[in-house]
Amino acid sequence: MSKILDIRNPLVWLRRIRHRRGYGVHSPFAFNMLIQVVYAPGQYYAYRSLDALFSRRDRLMFPRRRAVDRLLFRLSNALQPRSFCALGGSERAICHIKAGCSTLHPVAAGSRNVDMLYVAAGGFSELDAVAEGGFVIVDHLRKNRSLWNHLLKDDRFTVTFDLHDVGLAFLRPDLLPDHYIVNW
């Protein structure tokens, strides 16, 4: 299985080459999100301690998972949500989210006015809990394709990013609706 994924990822990257590094993105919010969060260069203060959560085997077998977890950290760090709800996902991914924002308060599923909703499995009923100005992270986007399609059809989520492995949907009524495919 890992051999198939090793061959497929470069092909996906080549297919999405027109959508790299913010080319064609005209919205200041979307462009800043891509340049300062998704493609953020350099090391963050918590990367070294968070990398200790990965075993040597995990680093070699799943390098893309490490990149996704670092993206979760950068999203939490840049957007500074007050509350978040996690539906599924690994403990390592949740640790990355918590490390990005010191004022983050985890809430139980079914809570209202959640600023950040992380979905690794399920989650249709929790979409109504996202507060205005909040966002949804859909991990394992190919496995959660039906949820992602539901988010794209929902008029409340105005800006969405398809990063192939991860989907981001922002509930920001002040922004014009747009869907971005990103080569990340």
Side-chain angles (χ1 to χ4, degrees), residues 7-108:
I7 293 169
R8 188 188 65 175
N9 282 338
L11 295 176
V12 169
W13 187 85
L14 284 172
R15 192 179 77 225
R16 292 172 166 237
I17 198 158
R18 296 178 314 163
H19 307 286
R20 67 188 186 284
R21 301 275 179 199
Y23 295 125
V25 176
H26 300 288
S27 165
F29 169 79
F31 186 77
N32 288 333
M33 182 62 61
L34 289 175
I35 298 302
Q36 295 174 1
V37 179
V38 175
Y39 290 115
Q43 291 288 322
Y44 276 79
Y45 60 91
Y47 278 178
R48 187 165 292 165
S49 62
L50 290 171
D51 280 347
L53 299 173
F54 285 94
S55 68
R56 183 181 177 113
R57 180 183 167 274
D58 287 346
R59 284 190 208 121
L60 294 174
M61 296 292 289
F62 309 107
R64 190 67 178 163
R65 187 72 242 166
R66 183 177 175 203
V68 169
D69 287 347
R70 284 184 170 191
L71 173 66
L72 295 174
F73 169 81
R74 290 192 305 267
L75 281 166
S76 179
N77 190 355
L79 299 172
Q80 294 290 309
R82 293 180 308 272
S83 61
F84 97 103
C85 179
L87 302 174
S90 68
E91 188 64 35
R92 188 172 53 215
I94 294 169
C95 285
H96 278 75
I97 292 171
K98 289 179 181 177
C101 181
S102 61
T103 61
L104 189 66
H105 299 301
V107 295

Side-chain angles (χ1 to χ4, degrees), residues 162-176:
D162 179 350
L163 306 175
H164 185 68
D165 297 328
V166 179
L168 307 173
F170 291 88
L171 198 139
R172 299 273 309 262
D174 57 322
L175 299 175
L176 293 174

